[in-house]
Amino acid sequence: MAPALVANGSVKADAANPGSSPAIPSRAIPPIAHPTPEDAFGVAANIQYHAQYSPHFSPFKFEVEQAFFSTAESVRDTLIQRWNATYEHFQKSDPKHIHYISMEYLQGRALTNALGNLGLTDAYAAALYKLGYDLENVVEQEKDPALGNGGLGRLASCFLDSLATLNLPAWGYGLRYKYGLFKQLITKKGQEEYAEDWLEKFSPWEIVRHDIVYPIRFFGKVKVDPNGRRKWVGGEQLQALAYDIPIPGFKTKNTISLRIWEAKSPPRDFNLAAFNAGKHQEAVDLHFKAEQICAVLYPGDETEDGKLLRLKQQYLLCSASLQLQDILTRFKDRRSQDSFSWAELPNKVAVQMNDTHPTLAIPELMRLLIDEEGLGWEEAWAITSSTVAYTNHTVLPEALEKWSQVVMSKLLPRHVEIITEIDKQFHALVREIRPDLEEKLNGLAILDNSKPDKPLVRMANLCVISSHSVNGVAELHSDILKKELFADFYSLWPKKFQNKTNGVTPRRWLRFASPELSAIITKWLRTDEWVTNLDLLTGLRQFADDNQLQSEWTAAKIANKLRLAKYLEQVTGIKVDPQSLFDVQVKRIHEYKRQLLNILSVIYRFKKIKELNPEERGNFVPRTVMFGGKAFATYAQAKRIVKLVTDVGEVVNNDHDVSHLLKVVFIPNYNVSVAEVAIPASELSQHISTAGLEASGTSNMKFALNGSLIIGTLDGANVEIREEVGEENFFLFGARADEVPMLRKEREEGKFVPDPRFEEVKAFIRSGAFGDYDYGPLVDSLEGNSGFGRGDYFLVGYDFPSYLEAQSKVDEAYKDKARWTKMSILSTAGSGKFSSDRTISQYAEDIWKIQACQVP
Ligand SMILES: *Cc1c(COP(=O)(O)O)cnc(C)c1O
């Protein structure tokens, strides 16, 4: 085990004695190509070297695919060098580390980002040009790894970029799903799902760590030895194998690691005897069973399937990341034996749980400290609760994780014992210090035994009770946590609750996604420091009326619009007018996000244009309304919405009276790469969730940063974006979060009077205007005053009139080009707060208590 203990990407000989490096013989051999070139000539030689000496294809071919892989491997050399230097430096300096645990990462393509962060874009572009390729085309060869569903996963990836850029000592932990989020195809039938095989060839960015393999146990039982010590034994054992993906910071040597785990069966599970005896199936069964665990990404909510598999995934992630062999061993390894004390762990290790998915980190850490290290309960509890912190991402009741106690007891018997004890001590604590809360204990407890036939474990409650910090992801959301979802917990521990408004990385989402706009910003601010100090964008405000800036700004926008128009034609065959208003709503398809509200207003617009005579039509602002996003395969209502959008597009785009004034496009397979094309081209973006339901949203930040105006409700981070960009630069509509419960009640009581325009649009859909698909169940969900299930639970009908009004204001504003451009500039100028650098600095200071540790 010993060599594996240096589980940090560095070589032991180096760390102990940086001057000599017997472990790396290659240093004695003159390199054929410079390993980490910085000029075009050196880079070209290095790329050729990889094409020839680490070929994954015939070494005689150098087509664009080979160009990509050899370019990526060349870049990887530089990343590995910096990554080794980083962890070597961390090991010497011994700072406190943050370990960010997340079931999802939505990394997007890595090449452009790596080159940009390393400052090598020009050198590589010139080198590839010498070799006969455009960097732009080479970049397109990369698969977009989608190891996440949406915002939560993308947040984790933005955070890693900021952690590296801010030189913070950090690790990201996740799972290596073989198939990430499905690939979406749009056909006549609507959305179809196909497996997305991001590893089809291989990923040049991951480094398999054959030296880091940990045992993971499932099932089994708890054994008690004569002196009362409990230990989890038996059951099944498999292995977690580490893969490391280097994450470079921007303009710094610091390069951190995203460590993703793959489940493997131990070699003995391959039953060679059975195989030789001809029982092939039997021999491979166990093998496959293990490998299945990381086969697919679990769709966040909306599905009941595969619960046991999901729980196995969660435990694998927590156990492998935390195990004595990883986080804890690294800690142990660095303490000299005589001064070793577990009590010091919280001074060196912080663990952040991205939502409740990694909750099992809590009982797992307790188990390791108590059963394996022999600590007492009190001591283990003090250490655990000062190490772990929890971020809540949703208040939707159906998305709050609850696990069956029966299932969990079978899979993780010792953990259920520990959870039960935590729950028991929580009951005792409440009785002692807050007897007034005793009657509410049923709801606050971790174990929910209210249904004897279906006892549950409430993961959110376990997180709140066990963590030293609980945070929401936007001010409004954190307020809702304090006042509603966790109100009683808040009254118990007011200091535990914090807000950390989300952010996005300005590198990927502005600097690299829109080089044109970035160059203009740099020119007018006379510095590119804004890329790491986004507040500097406020410097643009003074020039918002300047004609010269306005015309440069418009030109950059047009370039981005042309790029998107070209992409749309490629993937959908639909031609759009680059002079029209580009109106974009891209995000997962969900009833609460209300793509339905958007498409209903599009239908209304279509009807109105149609009813006018040709002269009057001239008053309409030409618009291209774009939708994109994936509906979970089992979420029928969301899939109907996708179908409706495409059916409406079919009718509108082929109507000769209308199609020059209105186009409706569904952009297939929304992912990070699509977002990078769509967002910089957008002029208006839609963030129109029912107030109180979108915890933060992060695409609203990406859009605002790119000068796209927002039409939106007072929900999530919209509230803060509106404050920052100015209310005159935000198209607000809709009910406020605090009005929602009352409005739902009015509906139930039959008091809601729908707007005639809303009734008109629903009737139009029911009339079959968009084909013979049965939209009954979809339109029924909008009928108020009860009778139909939840009766327009998301208040589409209530918000419809104020939404139409806000849309008219958009049209008016767009007619005045100078005014619109000024608003767009002010939107970018006001987006400084929404850098993930700001978010991460706040986590580092307020929750993790960690400090920068920059590689010299
Ligand atoms: C930013 C992003 C999201 C999150 O979008 P929201 O509108 O905040 O829900 C989802 N998917 C991708 C690919 C993203 O880049």
Side-chain angles (χ1 to χ4, degrees):
M1 216 62 239
L5 296 186
V6 199
N8 62 358
S10 87
V11 175
K12 191 144 199 174
D14 272 334
N17 188 359
S20 76
S21 51
I24 310 174
S26 63
R27 285 196 197 167
I29 302 165
I32 292 168
H34 192 285
T36 58
E38 291 185 5
D39 61 284
F41 187 80
V43 168
N46 190 278
I47 292 174
Q48 276 178 318
Y49 170 83
H50 278 287
Q52 208 175 341
Y53 293 100
S54 38
H56 301 277
F57 307 94
S58 159
F60 306 110
K61 276 205 300 194
F62 192 69
E63 283 162 10
V64 66
E65 192 174 37
Q66 285 88 324
F68 164 70
F69 281 102
S70 13
T71 302
E73 285 183 333
S74 162
V75 175
R76 194 178 74 170
D77 290 348
T78 303
L79 294 180
I80 290 178
Q81 189 200 47
R82 292 179 178 218
W83 179 56
N84 279 330
T86 303
Y87 285 105
E88 199 175 317
H89 182 65
F90 287 170
Q91 188 159 7
K92 260 186 286 177
S93 320
D94 193 24
K96 182 174 180 182
H97 282 58
I98 173 63
H99 303 82
Y100 194 83
I101 308 189
S102 175
M103 285 284 280
E104 302 187 20
Y105 290 87
L106 216 49
Q107 285 286 95
R109 287 175 176 150
L111 183 54
T112 303
N113 189 71
L115 287 176
N117 277 11
L118 294 169
L120 293 174
T121 309
D122 291 344
Y124 271 79
L128 282 166
Y129 189 75
K130 277 182 206 291
L131 298 171
Y133 289 104
D134 277 338
L135 177 59
E136 268 173 50
N137 298 336
V138 170
V139 159
E140 294 289 319
Q141 293 297 309
E142 184 173 354
K143 291 246 182 189
D144 184 328
L147 309 185
N149 286 295
L152 174 144
R154 184 53 231 174
L155 183 79
S157 295
C158 281
F159 278 6
L160 294 182
D161 183 82
S162 286
L163 283 164
T165 299
L166 293 169
N167 302 309
L168 290 164
W171 287 85
Y173 282 103
L175 290 181
R176 183 178 183 266
Y177 305 103
K178 183 165 187 320
Y179 301 103
L181 188 55
F182 63 86
K183 181 183 194 147
Q184 177 194 53
L185 246 64
I186 301 294
T187 69
K188 289 263 180 286
K189 283 186 264 170
Q191 166 179 302
E192 291 183 36
E193 303 91 28
Y194 292 88
E196 174 88 283
D197 191 358
W198 71 290
L199 296 167
E200 184 190 352
K201 299 271 159 55
F202 67 102
S203 164
W205 308 111
E206 54 171 23
I207 292 139
V208 53
R209 299 293 305 266
H210 295 290
D211 53 338
I212 301 179
V213 183
Y214 300 147
I216 307 288
R217 189 189 306 276
F218 290 123
F219 304 108
K221 58 178 202 288
V222 179
K223 203 179 90 188
V224 188
D225 72 11
N227 49 33
R229 248 173 100 164
R230 309 181 78 82
K231 200 154 181 143
W232 183 23
V233 297
E236 287 175 11
Q237 276 209 36
L238 51 91
Q239 296 182 327
L241 169 65
Y243 289 73
D244 282 336
I245 299 176
I247 310 286
F250 179 79
K251 283 196 178 167
T252 171
K253 281 191 188 146
N254 282 49
T255 298
I256 59 171
S257 201
L258 167 57
R259 176 161 290 177
I260 52 178
W261 300 103
E262 181 191 58
K264 300 284 269 184
S265 62
R268 64 182 148 76
D269 272 1
F270 188 81
N271 191 334
L272 192 64
F275 193 84
N276 288 340
K279 295 179 194 155
H280 297 171
Q281 198 52 46
E282 193 180 307
V284 294
D285 269 356
L286 266 175
H287 204 71
F288 274 143
K289 213 165 119 195
E291 248 115 279
Q292 249 179 26
I293 293 179
C294 291
V296 288
L297 168 76
Y298 181 90
D301 37 58
E302 298 300 337
T303 155
E304 281 292 312
D305 290 345
K307 288 249 170 189
L308 183 66
L309 200 60
R310 166 75 167 178
L311 195 60
K312 283 184 168 179
Q313 287 185 341
Q314 295 189 347
Y315 181 64
L316 179 93
L317 171 63
C318 296
S319 174
S321 307
L322 214 62
Q323 270 203 33
L324 284 172
Q325 294 102 317
D326 222 68
I327 297 179
L328 296 196
T329 300
R330 216 152 31 225
F331 169 74
K332 255 173 129 172
D333 204 45
R334 286 191 206 164
R335 317 283 107 206
S336 60
Q337 286 304 1
D338 41 339
S339 67
F340 182 81
S341 158
W342 280 111
E344 238 197 283
L345 186 78
N347 302 330
K348 290 292 171 187
V349 172
V351 171
Q352 189 70 36
M353 301 183 290
N354 194 22
D355 213 326
T356 53
H357 317 149
T359 305
L360 289 168
I362 297 163
E364 176 69 356
L365 184 52
M366 289 294 286
R367 184 186 72 83
L368 292 169
L369 294 174
I370 296 170
D371 298 359
E372 306 291 331
E373 296 298 322
L375 269 61
W377 178 276
E378 296 299 325
E379 202 184 349
W381 177 248
I383 292 168
T384 300
S385 55
S386 23
T387 302
V388 298
Y390 157 58
T391 305
N392 172 281
H393 283 273
T394 181
V395 296
L396 287 181
E398 62 267 32
L400 288 174
E401 281 190 297
K402 296 182 190 78
W403 288 103
S404 150
Q405 283 179 35
V406 177
V407 172
M408 201 186 270
S409 300
K410 268 194 208 134
L411 189 70
L412 305 164
R414 179 62 180 132
H415 297 79
V416 172
E417 280 189 358
I418 291 170
I419 293 169
T420 306
E421 181 61 25
I422 296 175
D423 196 39
K424 207 174 110 192
Q425 303 220 353
F426 173 67
H427 278 80
L429 178 85
V430 169
R431 289 202 184 95
E432 186 190 322
I433 65 167
R434 286 292 301 277
D436 59 307
L437 282 181
E438 205 172 324
E439 60 190 36
K440 294 191 174 164
L441 260 174
N442 279 342
L444 294 174
I446 300 165
L447 301 180
D448 174 4
N449 295 320
S450 57
K451 291 194 194 113
D453 54 327
K454 215 185 159 213
L456 298 169
V457 184
R458 298 188 186 109
M459 303 306 256
N461 291 16
L462 176 54
C463 283
V464 174
I465 291 166
S466 313
S467 301
H468 67 89
S469 156
V470 175
N471 75 281
V473 289
E475 275 166 21
L476 176 70
H477 168 62
S478 297
D479 280 346
I480 292 174
L481 293 187
K482 290 189 217 169
K483 290 193 189 126
E484 293 166 38
L485 193 63
F486 298 142
D488 293 321
F489 287 122
Y490 177 61
S491 80
L492 255 173
W493 301 300
K495 286 200 194 118
K496 221 186 237 203
F497 288 79
Q498 308 201 22
N499 173 246
K500 294 287 166 278
T501 299
N502 283 166
V504 299
T505 167
R507 271 74 66 187
R508 182 178 290 269
W509 294 112
L510 180 54
R511 178 64 193 82
F512 309 143
S514 184
E516 299 83 356
L517 209 57
S518 297
I520 294 165
I521 294 168
T522 299
K523 176 184 150 189
W524 286 78
L525 295 179
R526 294 163 182 270
T527 170
D528 65 359
E529 294 274 307
W530 59 269
V531 180
T532 45
N533 181 2
L534 206 60
D535 288 330
L536 293 178
L537 291 179
T538 51
L540 292 170
R541 281 188 184 138
Q542 59 184 305
F543 309 119
D545 281 310
D546 190 296
N547 284 337
Q548 180 60 28
L549 173 59
Q550 288 208 352
S551 75
E552 291 174 20
W553 198 267
T554 309
K557 270 283 166 193
I558 286 282
N560 292 342
K561 287 170 77 177
L562 285 169
R563 188 163 60 210
L564 176 59
K566 191 171 146 207
Y567 178 76
L568 289 179
E569 193 174 349
Q570 246 172 41
V571 295
T572 67
I574 301 170
K575 277 195 170 67
V576 303
D577 172 9
Q579 297 299 331
S580 62
L581 192 171
F582 273 24
D583 169 343
V584 180
Q585 185 176 20
V586 283
K587 46 185 78 232
R588 285 180 309 131
I589 310 289
H590 203 292
E591 285 166 285
Y592 89 82
K593 292 181 181 273
R594 297 199 298 188
Q595 283 89 358
L596 202 43
L597 177 60
N598 184 354
I599 195 66
L600 291 186
S601 95
V602 170
I603 295 170
Y604 182 75
R605 178 178 289 259
F606 168 70
K607 277 198 89 205
K608 292 306 121 182
I609 298 176
K610 203 64 190 155
E611 283 163 20
L612 293 174
N613 57 45
E615 306 87 75
E616 290 169 321
R617 285 184 189 139
N619 284 332
F620 268 88
V621 171
R623 271 210 208 202
T624 303
V625 186
M626 291 161 261
F627 293 78
K630 293 176 184 177
F632 293 137
T634 53
Y635 187 178
Q637 212 65 310
K639 290 177 95 170
R640 289 188 189 106
I641 297 172
V642 175
K643 173 75 175 138
L644 179 60
V645 170
T646 56
D647 278 353
V648 171
E650 193 68 31
V651 170
V652 171
N653 302 343
N654 294 306
D655 187 308
H656 294 299
D657 294 335
V658 179
S659 66
H660 61 295
L661 292 174
L662 182 61
K663 282 255 164 61
V664 180
V665 186
F666 194 94
I667 314 173
N669 202 38
Y670 182 57
N671 60 15
V672 172
S673 305
V674 173
E676 286 164 354
V677 186
I679 293 172
S682 166
E683 293 169 294
L684 179 74
S685 71
Q686 307 224 17
H687 306 276
I688 58 178
S689 48
T690 315
L693 295 185
E694 186 74 272
S696 162
T698 47
S699 84
N700 43 5
M701 301 170 182
K702 301 167 196 165
F703 281 102
L705 182 60
N706 277 278
S708 169
L709 302 183
I710 291 178
I711 181 166
T713 46
L714 273 185
D715 200 14
N718 283 359
V719 179
E720 291 155 77
I721 294 175
R722 180 165 168 268
E723 261 165 39
E724 296 292 316
V725 304
E727 55 185 68
E728 65 287 4
N729 302 310
F730 188 106
F731 299 99
L732 182 70
F733 75 95
R736 290 190 320 265
D738 56 7
E739 298 169 330
V740 166
M742 188 252 309
L743 292 168
R744 287 206 180 117
K745 195 152 166 279
E746 281 185 8
R747 265 191 174 288
E748 274 162 34
E749 294 166 357
K751 291 185 192 151
F752 173 67
V753 185
D755 188 281
R757 294 168 292 182
F758 184 59
E759 298 301 284
E760 181 185 334
V761 173
K762 282 187 299 178
F764 194 52
I765 301 173
R766 288 196 198 271
S767 76
F770 303 106
D772 49 17
Y773 181 86
D774 179 14
Y775 284 111
L778 191 60
V779 183
D780 287 350
S781 77
L782 298 174
E783 301 298 351
N785 302 333
S786 239
F788 288 100
R790 293 206 276 185
D792 195 12
Y793 184 76
F794 299 102
L795 301 178
V796 176
Y798 180 85
D799 279 349
F800 193 67
S802 65
Y803 179 62
L804 289 185
E805 215 171 286
Q807 286 289 15
S808 305
K809 288 187 186 151
V810 169
D811 289 324
E812 279 319 300
Y814 198 73
K815 284 179 190 163
D816 181 346
K817 285 286 175 265
R819 176 177 162 212
W820 187 276
T821 308
K822 178 180 178 180
M823 292 169 83
S824 169
I825 295 168
L826 290 175
S827 168
T828 301
S831 295
K833 174 176 174 185
F834 306 103
S835 168
S836 47
D837 296 345
R838 186 266 313 147
T839 314
I840 284 297
S841 303
Q842 292 177 336
Y843 275 93
E845 206 172 310
D846 304 337
I847 301 179
W848 305 330
K849 318 282 184 205
I850 57 169
Q851 264 135 31
C853 182
Q854 184 165 12
V855 177

